[in-house]
Amino acid sequence: PEISQLSKKVYSEEIGYSEEQVLGHITIFPQGQFVAEYGSKIVGYCASIRLPKERALGKHRWKEITGQGYASTHDPKGQYLYGVDVFVDPSLRKKHVGARLYSARKRLCKKLRLKGIIFAGRMPLFKKKLPLFKTPEEYLQAVLDKKIRDPVINFQVRHGFEIIQILKGYLPHDEAS
């Protein structure tokens, strides 16, 4: 319940995780789920599943690849760890909670001897920068060239991840990206 409540605080009541979805994550692939605690309070959550390379790297949307957020698409033989989600209590951002969750995911990948980690990331400032950059590709290149900053892309690149492709429509409700 606390993970579900945190997701609704981070995202919104409408798009946060239900308790049933979180239970799906924990039941289907317990090793792939991590929480960050501060005191006795959950302040961050990281959800992952295993997928074959073709599925993880193919064109997809979040709902399809995650089984509507229940992690039901998990393939125990999948060679890649797929990042379903990572979120942190807004009051504790910039405290390295997200970095610790990403590190836990990397350790799991090594422990399971998987080939890598694949996930989709948002571009939360793209809509605001539309007057400057007409396409997601132009925006992304400007971030990579360090002409502008994007909190999600900069965080992911700083932690050693590479951009492979842009997934248009990945989160249809995410108008900012």
Side-chain angles (χ1 to χ4, degrees):
E2 199 173 340
I3 295 168
S4 175
Q5 289 170 354
L6 178 61
S7 76
K8 291 171 183 173
K9 178 180 180 181
V10 170
Y11 297 125
S12 74
E13 192 68 35
E14 297 80 39
I15 60 173
Y17 288 99
S18 68
E19 290 181 24
E20 293 79 13
Q21 287 171 310
V22 175
L23 185 59
H25 303 170
I26 296 166
T27 303
I28 291 170
F29 184 39
Q31 289 176 288
Q33 319 318 313
F34 300 98
V35 295
E37 294 180 319
Y38 185 73
S40 61
K41 183 180 173 190
I42 293 176
V43 297
Y45 179 63
C46 177
S48 307
I49 56 178
R50 288 176 64 169
L51 291 176
K53 180 180 182 178
E54 306 75 40
R55 178 108 192 247
L57 287 178
K59 298 279 183 200
H60 61 272
R61 291 185 176 200
W62 183 85
K63 281 189 173 187
E64 298 161 350
I65 201 114
T66 67
Q68 305 292 319
Y70 288 89
S72 60
T73 54
H74 170 70
D75 178 347
K77 294 181 182 177
Q79 337 63 326
Y80 285 84
L81 200 60
Y82 186 87
V84 173
D85 209 337
V86 173
F87 54 85
V88 174
D89 187 313
S91 69
L92 288 171
R93 291 198 179 133
K94 306 232 186 257
K95 302 285 186 198
H96 307 288
V97 176
R100 290 180 179 122
L101 291 169
Y102 271 65
S103 293
R105 197 180 262 166
K106 288 177 184 179
R107 285 191 302 275
L108 177 63
C109 185
K110 286 180 182 177
K111 179 182 177 183
L112 297 177
R113 297 183 178 170
L114 300 178
K115 293 184 177 182
I117 301 170
I118 298 171
F119 57 86
R122 298 182 60 238
M123 297 192 300
L125 301 181
F126 176 58
K127 186 175 180 179
K128 288 182 181 177
K129 302 286 185 177
L130 271 175
L132 299 172
F133 307 102
K134 301 297 181 211
T135 67
E137 291 81 4
E138 288 177 21
Y139 174 83
L140 176 60
Q141 194 58 54
V143 173
L144 296 175
D145 292 342
K146 299 183 177 168
K147 293 178 181 174
I148 60 169
R149 292 195 41 75
D150 180 282
V152 174
I153 297 169
N154 290 127
F155 177 87
Q156 292 168 341
V157 170
R158 193 169 54 250
H159 286 90
F161 292 96
E162 300 174 21
I163 310 298
I164 296 172
Q165 65 180 317
I166 291 178
L167 293 171
K168 294 178 181 169
Y170 180 74
L171 287 169
H173 65 273
D174 182 8
E175 293 179 17
S177 294

